């Protein structure tokens, strides 16, 4: 134990403090005697404590505790960590009980498995969820270095194969060396695999239809043998090639032919019987084939697009017709079309993911979109608050333009255990979206059921939508499935509701425990004019029962395989029971803002016989409208793309005059062409370089109006989007970079930043793509390079290369003594505060301080011990008793002499009192007095009492 001061020069103030004490003792501060001494002593103590605080008083002890953090590589190249875990356990068992050990795992991230403390490392200490797709040694070293608390005897033990592919471990090691932290290394030798990997796959970025080109492929192999290379264009196989592999690098050039215009993703796959790893056998590349545009027609009902096909053929526009169920689930597929047409497509037929991908394709990649009406489109199709509604120039919400009959709607939602997770969350979202569509005068109720029904929201008018939505959001999942009680209670409540149209929506994913009694229930519902639609989620639902209930209650039955369509189904049901979206009467459309399309209507417009009502958005351009007025034809710019809404149909049911109109093919073709991306040749050249998980962009532009700053919109396969700022480093040259967390193919689109900081479409920008085909953990490394990297880290920081067979050596290093400091600032300040309060009490309070001091002295432990020892001695007890009697006799004699009692004269009173003779021991306890001195005794007692009271 030692003492040190952080600011020892402050102790020079002790000299003036001593002078202050001397001056205080010689001065008169209005205090005398013991109070003055107490006050000066307290103040001196307070100043001494404050000087100790200012001087930085600390105590320390010399310790030789070791601190070791085990840094474990858990990337994919380290195939198993059991041996590393056992190595750490054995090393930890050899440490002193006061030594501290910690554990950190790393892949792309660094995560703490065990904090640095003296507890032993448990066998289950490697359970953190790290990203194994990359090896970020620098991140692991950074996290491990942040755990240390001491200043000496600190080491990091790195257990890795050294295959760094992200970051710069040498730079981080230099920082650790400056802090005095050594890095010991224990190399993990990964098993040798018979492996072949596609290292490179490239082709020209731009092609023309009919142009021949070459696929350039680099295959690196650890063995010699035969294999097969397969090539795919947009998941369509275009060729197979037998390959004779040599050990090392094998470069191939294969011929290809560009056929269809658009953005295409090519895939190369390699297969060999001796290959032990499949993760590195796939590679991707993007190219854009310039040529005639292509349109994707999605038709809700088969065979209803003949009018559209004939019009596009007359305009020499290539097209493809698919049902909604075949919509792609990859963004790159949508980027291959110039425009997408929805022909009377219901939202229930389109998955939630597909809607999001289409919205991104329009907004970020300039793909056009057009929705053509019908009984299953717009609001009737359930597009309320969907990504498709977001990109359209019209809204599905009717903003009080016509009187809608009052509605009564009860949602019966299965909340059994099988609905746990996404299904229940989507069901709740569907119910919330349905409530948002209703008006304040409508009645809504929500009953959730498992074994028995539970009213989440009793049927009520929608005075407070937010409260109802909040109650729906709190539905938990539990229990079994029993449909009948829930539907029965819903029908009973609906009979009592005051609404012009009454409807029930039942959603379940299971089999009901009771399947009887429905006939009478359905008869009651029909008599009460209550309709019911049913939704079966998945094949495990009781399909037959739900179809029977929907038919019996004159509703609709839905079988849902993709739960993301539930919100669209609920939204569509709410729209259909309102029956106000469809306007079924003839009229001649009125021109509002025809713009460059006005030339088609110089001779008037054909008659329309019906349409789906909608509301134009604020910035949309309404070309034609109905007498309501509702938009019949509207358009606008959405992000990089253009979209058009035609709210009538084009099958001939509502638009028979239009499809017979001679100008119909030209008019329709021009509308579709208006949605095409507004560029043919791009003045921007994009180069991407992938290093580890970091992607570097370099954009070169020769455009005269190039902006000062660009923005790259990067979209992954799953639709996730990130924005990367590209800074202009020289005229026409922009650079930037971003990090990726998982391999895959990515689409890239350029945007210009405006004054508000948001992105806008570029004139002449074009979409492109880049790929990180597989994790760099599966690349075939150059031999010997990784071992040198680990050894270099150890040498750089003064560490050691540990033997894998000697884990106990991790704590076997000479420890340097280190001072373990303890600060006393708070205790000293607390003591000074208490003494300051005592100083105030001594100076300001008028208390019998002498008596308090005597009392405290008498109550002190040593006084009590002294009295106890005296009581144990008989002689001391007798002497104490004699002394007490002598003092009593003396007081009595003084009192008698003062009043002249017993002597009868002044001489007796003037004579000094004589001490009485000590009584014999046997009379020590008796008190005797001469006759006639009773008055003197009383006066003596009174005077003594008065004297004591005056003290």
């Amino acid at each position: 134990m030692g003492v040190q001061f952080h600011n020892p020069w402050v102790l020079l103030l002790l000299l003036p403090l001593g002078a202050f004490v001397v001056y205080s003792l010689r001065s008169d501060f209005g205090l005398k005697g013991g109070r003055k001494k107490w006050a000066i002593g307290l103040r001196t103590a307070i100043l001494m404590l404050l000087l100790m605080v200012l001087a930085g008083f600390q105590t320390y002890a010399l310790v030789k505790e070791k601190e070791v953090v085990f840094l474990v590589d858990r990337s994919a190249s380290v195939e198993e960590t059991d041996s590393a875990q056992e190595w750490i356990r054995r090393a930890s068992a050899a440490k002193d009980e006061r030594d501290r050990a910690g554990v950190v795992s790393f892949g792309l991230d660094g995560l703490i498995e065990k904090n640095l403390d003296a507890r032993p490392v448990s066998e289950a200490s490697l359970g953190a969820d790290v990203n194994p797709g990359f090896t970020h040694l620098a991140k692991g070293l950074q996290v491990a270095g942040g755990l240390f608390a001491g200043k000496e005897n600190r080491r990091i033990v790195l257990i890795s194969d050294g295959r760094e592919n992200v970051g710069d471990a040498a730079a981080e090691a230099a920082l650790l060396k400056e802090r005095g932290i050594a890095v010991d290394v224990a190399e993990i030798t990964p098993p040798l695999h018979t492996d072949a990997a596609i290292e490179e796959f490239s082709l020209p970025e731009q092609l023309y239809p009919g142009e021949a080109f070459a696929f350039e492929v680099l295959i690196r192999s650890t063995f010699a043998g035969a294999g097969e290379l397969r090539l795919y264009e947009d998941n369509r196989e275009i060729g197979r090639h037998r390959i004779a592999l040599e050990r090392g690098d094998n470069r191939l050039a294969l011929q290809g032919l560009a056929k269809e215009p658009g953005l295409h993703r090519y895939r190369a796959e390699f297969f060999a019987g001796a290959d032990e790893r499949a993760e590195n056998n796939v590679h991707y590349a993007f190219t854009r084939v310039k040529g005639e545009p292509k349109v994707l027609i999605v038709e809700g009902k088969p065979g209803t697009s003949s009018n559209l096909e004939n019009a596009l053929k007359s305009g020499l526009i290539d097209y493809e017709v698919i049902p909604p169920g075949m919509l792609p689930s990859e963004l790159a597929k949508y980027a291959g079309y110039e425009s997408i047409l929805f022909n009377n497509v219901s939202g229930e037929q389109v998955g939630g993911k597909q809607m999001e991908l289409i919205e991104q394709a329009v907004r970020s990649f300039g793909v056009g979109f057009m929705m053509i009406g019908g009984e299953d489109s717009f609001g009737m199709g359930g597009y309320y608050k969907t990504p498709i509604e977001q990109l359209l120039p019209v809204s599905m919400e009717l903003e009080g333009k016509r009187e809608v009959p009052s509605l009564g709607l009860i949602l019966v939602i299965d909340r059994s255990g099988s609905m746990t997770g996404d299904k229940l969350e989507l069901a709740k979202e569907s119910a919330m979206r349905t409530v948002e569509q209703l008006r304040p005068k409508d009645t809504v109720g929500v009953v959730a059921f498992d074994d028995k029904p539970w009213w989440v929201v009793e049927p009520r008018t929608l005075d407070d939508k937010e409260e109802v939505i909040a109650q729906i959001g709190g539905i938990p999942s539990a229990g079994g499935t029993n449909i009948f009680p829930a539907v029965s209670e819903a029908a009973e409540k609906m009979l009592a509701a005051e609404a012009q149209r009454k409807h029930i929506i039942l959603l379940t994913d299971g089999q009901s425990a009771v399947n009887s009694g429905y006939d009478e229930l359905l008869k009651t519902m029909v008599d009460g004019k209550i309709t019911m639609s049913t939704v079966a989620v998945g094949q495990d639902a009781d399909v037959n029962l739900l179809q029977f209930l929907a038919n019996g209650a004159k509703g609709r039955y839905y079988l849902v395989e993709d739960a993301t369509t539930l919100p669209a189904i609920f939204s569509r049901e709410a729209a259909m029971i309102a029956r106000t979206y469809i306007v079924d009467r003839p009229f001649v459309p009125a021109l509002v803002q025809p713009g460059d399309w006005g030339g088609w209507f110089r001779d008037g417009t054909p008659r329309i016989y019906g349409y789906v009502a909608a509301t134009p958005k604020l910035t949309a351009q309404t070309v034609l409208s109905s007498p309501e007025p509702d938009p019949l034809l509207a358009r606008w710019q959405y992000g990089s793309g253009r979209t058009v809404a035609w709210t009538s149909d084009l099958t001939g049911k509502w638009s028979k005059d239009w499809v017979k109109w001679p100008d119909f093919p030209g008019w329709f073709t021009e509308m579709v062409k208006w949605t095409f991306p507004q560029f043919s040749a791009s003045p921007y050249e994009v180069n991407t370089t992938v290093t580890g998980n970091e992607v570097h962009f370099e954009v070169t532009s020769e455009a005269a109006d190039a902006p000062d700053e660009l923005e790259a919109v990067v979209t992954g396969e799953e639709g996730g989007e990130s924005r990367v700022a590209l800074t202009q480093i020289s005229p026409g040259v922009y650079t930037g970079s971003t990090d990726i967390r998982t391999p895959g193919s990515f689409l890239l689109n350029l945007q210009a930043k405006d004054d508000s900081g948001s992105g806008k479409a570029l004139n002449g920008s074009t979409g492109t793509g880049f790929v990180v085909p597989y994790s760099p953990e599966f690349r075939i490394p150059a031999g010997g390079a990784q071992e040198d990297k680990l050894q270099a880290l150890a040498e750089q920081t003064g560490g050691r290369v540990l033997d894998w067979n000697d884990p106990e050596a991790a704590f076997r290093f000479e420890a340097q003594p280190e001072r373990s400091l303890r600060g006393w600032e708070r205790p000293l300040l607390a003591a000074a505060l208490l003494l300051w309060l005592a100083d105030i009490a001594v100076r300001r309070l008028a208390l019998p301080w002498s008596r308090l001091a005597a009392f405290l002295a008498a109550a002190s432990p040593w006084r009590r011990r002294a009295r106890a020892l005296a009581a144990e001695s008989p002689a001391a007890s007798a002497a104490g008793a004699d002394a007490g009697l002598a003092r009593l006799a003396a007081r009595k004699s003084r009192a008698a002499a003062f009043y002249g009692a017993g002597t009868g004269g002044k001489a007796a009173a003037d004579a000094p009192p004589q001490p009485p003779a000590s009584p014999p021991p046997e009379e020590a306890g008796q008190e005797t007095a001469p006759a006639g001195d009773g008055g003197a005794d009383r006066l003596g007692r009174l005077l003594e009492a008065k004297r004591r009271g005056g003290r």
Side-chain angles (χ1 to χ4, degrees):
M1 177 68 72
V3 174
Q4 71 176 31
F5 295 91
H6 188 65
N7 302 312
W9 56 268
V10 177
L11 297 178
L12 295 175
L13 296 177
L14 290 174
L15 298 176
L17 177 60
F20 166 75
V21 173
V22 174
Y23 171 75
S24 299
L25 290 173
R26 295 182 178 180
S27 301
D28 185 6
F29 292 107
L31 299 176
K32 296 181 180 180
R35 292 180 68 184
K36 178 179 179 180
K37 295 179 181 179
W38 273 100
I40 294 173
L42 289 172
R43 292 186 181 183
T44 302
I46 293 171
L47 293 174
M48 286 285 294
L49 293 174
L50 294 178
L51 282 178
M52 298 282 279
V53 173
L54 292 175
F57 174 73
Q58 295 175 318
T59 59
Y60 66 85
L62 293 178
V63 297
K64 293 186 178 182
E65 296 174 356
K66 301 174 183 178
E67 294 182 347
V68 175
V69 175
F70 296 96
L71 181 58
V72 187
D73 186 349
R74 292 182 57 202
S75 61
S77 61
V78 180
E79 298 182 8
E80 61 89 19
T81 57
D82 292 341
S83 58
Q85 188 168 319
E86 175 63 19
W87 196 92
I88 294 173
R89 189 189 64 79
R90 290 174 55 191
S92 175
K95 75 179 185 67
D96 187 83
E97 63 179 15
R98 291 180 301 176
D99 293 339
R100 292 186 287 272
V103 181
V104 172
S105 291
F106 75 95
L108 178 60
D109 311 304
L111 299 177
I112 299 173
E113 303 274 9
K114 176 184 177 295
N115 284 315
L116 193 65
D117 53 41
R119 295 182 296 111
V121 178
S122 64
E123 294 185 1
S125 60
L126 300 180
D129 186 15
V130 301
N131 184 338
F134 304 88
T135 300
H136 199 339
L137 272 175
K139 174 63 72 173
L141 291 172
Q142 181 184 14
V143 173
L147 289 182
F148 291 108
K151 296 182 179 180
E152 301 288 345
N153 308 320
R154 300 175 297 173
R155 286 181 178 266
I156 295 174
V157 177
L158 173 60
I159 304 173
S160 172
D161 60 1
R163 294 184 178 180
E164 179 185 31
N165 46 54
V166 178
D168 187 356
E172 186 64 33
L175 297 177
L176 293 174
K177 182 179 180 181
E178 291 181 2
R179 296 173 54 193
I181 301 174
V183 178
D184 297 339
V185 296
E187 183 192 3
I188 296 178
T189 303
L192 295 177
H193 290 281
T194 303
D195 190 16
I198 303 179
E199 292 291 322
E200 297 177 7
F201 178 52
S202 61
L203 64 158
E205 293 184 358
Q206 294 183 355
L207 297 169
Y208 292 91
E211 180 181 359
F213 64 94
F215 296 99
E216 295 182 1
V217 185
L218 170 61
I219 301 177
R220 182 173 296 163
S221 177
T222 63
F223 65 96
E228 183 179 72
L229 181 66
R230 300 177 186 176
L231 298 177
Y232 297 83
E233 181 186 62
D234 299 328
N235 292 334
R236 177 173 57 87
E237 185 176 316
I238 59 175
R240 296 190 180 192
H241 305 271
R242 295 295 298 176
I243 305 297
L245 285 180
E246 298 293 336
R247 186 185 180 98
D249 291 349
N250 299 263
R251 292 190 176 274
L252 308 172
L254 305 174
Q255 293 300 311
L257 182 66
K259 296 180 180 179
E260 299 181 357
L263 182 67
H264 298 283
R265 187 183 71 168
Y266 290 87
R267 183 173 83 252
E269 293 184 0
F270 180 75
F271 300 90
D275 191 3
E276 296 180 354
R277 276 187 169 178
E279 294 88 351
N280 53 11
N281 291 354
V282 181
H283 213 301
Y284 301 89
F286 284 94
T287 189
R288 179 175 289 276
V289 179
K290 298 182 178 181
E292 295 298 326
K294 187 173 183 180
V295 173
L296 177 65
I297 300 176
V298 185
E299 57 179 9
K301 296 179 181 178
T304 57
S305 301
S306 58
N307 293 330
L308 311 183
E309 295 179 45
N310 292 332
L312 293 177
K313 285 178 182 178
S314 66
L316 301 178
I317 297 177
D318 192 13
Y319 64 88
E320 180 183 355
V321 181
I322 64 170
M326 292 184 63
L327 278 167
S329 58
E330 296 179 4
L331 184 59
K333 300 293 184 62
Y334 295 102
Y337 299 98
E338 269 65 31
S339 189
I340 302 170
L341 275 58
F342 269 27
N343 181 21
N344 194 26
V345 177
S346 172
E348 66 172 286
Q349 299 174 285
V350 184
K353 180 180 180 181
Q354 280 75 10
M355 289 190 188
E356 293 176 357
L357 292 176
I358 292 173
E359 188 272 336
Q360 283 191 340
V362 175
R363 172 169 47 85
S364 299
F365 298 94
V367 178
F369 184 85
M370 183 176 182
M371 178 172 280
I372 299 168
E375 294 180 343
D376 294 331
S377 64
F378 293 98
M380 293 297 295
Y383 288 102
Y384 179 70
K385 287 197 172 182
T386 63
I388 296 297
E389 184 197 33
Q390 187 177 342
L391 63 85
L392 284 172
V394 296
S395 170
M396 311 303 155
E397 188 173 7
L398 302 182
E399 299 176 350
K401 296 186 296 183
R402 54 180 62 84
E403 182 65 25
V404 179
S406 60
L407 307 178
L409 178 64
I410 293 182
L411 307 176
V412 183
I413 300 175
D414 185 353
R415 69 167 190 135
S416 61
S418 60
M419 288 286 292
T420 302
D422 291 341
K423 287 193 287 187
L424 183 59
E425 292 302 316
L426 286 168
K428 291 191 287 186
E429 180 186 342
S430 307
M432 294 177 192
R433 190 177 296 179
T434 303
V435 170
E436 289 177 348
Q437 283 186 266
L438 301 179
R439 299 155 302 157
K441 71 176 184 179
D442 295 332
T443 300
V444 68
V446 181
V447 58
F449 69 93
D450 45 27
D451 299 318
K452 56 185 178 180
W454 166 53
W455 282 99
V456 181
V457 179
E458 291 275 353
R460 51 178 288 186
T461 56
L462 272 177
D463 300 325
D464 189 350
K465 283 188 180 182
E466 297 301 323
E467 180 183 352
V468 173
I469 290 173
Q471 290 174 329
I472 294 173
I475 299 177
S477 63
T481 304
N482 195 358
I483 297 175
F484 181 81
V487 176
S488 178
E489 285 201 22
E492 183 179 350
K493 295 280 187 181
M494 188 60 81
L495 287 172
E498 296 182 0
Q500 293 171 288
R501 294 176 183 169
K502 303 177 181 180
H503 189 64
I504 296 173
I505 302 176
L506 167 64
L507 181 147
T508 181
D509 72 335
Q511 303 282 332
S512 178
V514 177
N515 286 330
S516 60
Y518 288 108
D519 292 333
E520 185 66 27
L521 176 61
L522 291 174
K523 182 178 183 305
T524 302
M525 293 173 64
V526 172
D527 293 342
K529 297 182 178 180
I530 301 171
T531 58
M532 180 172 68
S533 296
T534 60
V535 182
V537 183
Q539 295 292 343
D540 293 335
D542 195 336
V543 174
N544 294 329
L545 174 63
L546 295 178
Q547 283 181 319
F548 168 74
L549 293 177
N551 294 333
K554 299 182 179 180
R556 288 156 296 279
Y557 163 74
Y558 302 89
L559 175 60
V560 176
E561 295 291 344
D562 182 359
T564 61
T565 62
L566 287 176
I569 291 174
F570 274 57
S571 179
R572 183 180 184 220
E573 281 293 305
M576 293 185 73
I577 62 170
R579 300 177 189 172
T580 54
Y581 279 92
I582 296 179
V583 181
D584 195 1
R585 59 175 176 268
F587 64 92
V588 176
L591 288 175
V592 182
Q593 294 177 301
D596 55 344
W597 292 350
W600 294 98
F601 311 116
R602 282 193 297 264
D603 298 330
T605 57
R607 183 181 297 271
I608 283 290
Y609 295 89
Y611 67 96
V612 181
T615 302
K617 294 181 179 177
L618 290 178
T619 59
Q621 177 185 352
T622 301
V623 179
L624 299 174
S625 71
S626 72
E628 293 296 336
D630 286 325
L632 178 66
L633 176 61
R635 66 182 184 179
W636 77 337
Q637 180 86 31
Y638 179 75
S640 301
R642 291 176 169 185
T643 66
V644 173
W646 171 258
T647 58
S648 185
D649 76 326
L650 288 177
T651 62
K653 178 180 180 181
W654 293 335
S655 58
K656 58 184 179 181
D657 292 352
W658 280 78
V659 297
K660 295 177 181 178
W661 181 36
D663 289 335
F664 170 75
W667 165 75
F668 179 75
T669 301
E670 182 166 334
M671 282 198 306
V672 174
K673 287 182 178 179
W674 183 86
T675 65
F676 287 174
Q678 301 304 298
F679 47 80
S680 57
S682 175
Y684 296 92
E685 180 181 350
V686 181
N687 293 314
T688 59
T689 304
V690 181
T691 304
N693 76 322
E694 188 173 18
V695 182
H696 301 270
F697 305 103
E698 182 175 334
V699 180
T700 305
S701 174
E702 298 179 358
D705 58 346
D708 293 335
E709 189 174 359
L710 291 178
E711 188 175 58
V713 181
V714 180
T715 309
E717 293 178 354
E718 299 299 324
E721 185 178 276
S722 62
R723 295 178 178 269
V724 183
L726 303 178
T727 306
Q728 189 170 190
I729 60 173
S730 62
V733 179
Y734 306 81
T735 61
S737 62
T738 187
D739 293 339
I740 58 173
R741 297 190 60 83
T742 56
S745 58
F746 301 85
L747 290 179
L748 172 68
N749 190 55
L750 297 180
Q751 293 184 352
K753 278 195 171 182
D754 55 21
D755 295 336
S756 64
S758 59
K760 63 178 181 180
L762 281 172
N763 183 22
S765 169
T766 183
T768 184
F770 65 91
V771 294
V772 180
Y774 49 83
S775 167
E777 295 294 307
F778 300 109
R779 292 193 182 277
I780 300 176
Q786 309 306 327
E787 181 180 357
D788 294 342
K789 177 172 289 188
L790 290 178
Q791 186 173 353
L793 282 177
E795 293 175 353
Q796 183 180 359
T797 59
R800 304 166 295 170
V801 177
L802 301 179
D803 187 351
W804 190 255
N805 297 319
D806 186 16
E808 292 81 4
F811 282 90
R812 196 184 303 141
F813 60 91
E814 185 177 354
Q816 300 297 323
E818 178 186 358
R819 288 187 177 186
S820 177
L821 300 176
R822 180 182 178 185
W824 290 85
E825 290 82 1
R826 289 191 177 184
L828 293 176
L829 289 174
L833 177 61
L834 294 175
L835 293 179
W836 176 61
L837 296 175
D839 174 60
I840 294 175
V842 168
R843 291 185 291 107
R844 298 297 182 184
L845 299 181
L847 298 175
W849 296 104
S850 59
R851 291 187 186 179
L852 289 176
F855 174 76
L856 292 174
S860 61
W862 54 87
R863 283 295 184 93
R864 288 198 299 269
R865 287 196 297 270
R867 287 197 296 272
L869 291 174
E872 292 174 1
S873 174
S877 300
D882 292 344
L885 290 174
R887 287 195 297 273
L888 177 61
R891 284 198 295 272
K892 292 174 64 178
S893 298
R894 287 196 297 273
F898 180 82
Y899 289 101
T903 62
K906 182 178 181 299
D910 294 337
Q914 301 294 327
S918 298
E922 62 272 10
E923 298 175 357
Q926 300 178 2
E927 182 179 340
T928 59
D933 66 349
D937 286 344
R938 286 193 296 276
L939 285 174
R941 286 195 294 273
L942 288 172
L943 288 174
E944 181 68 11
K946 183 177 181 181
R947 180 178 66 80
R948 293 181 177 177
R951 291 180 182 174

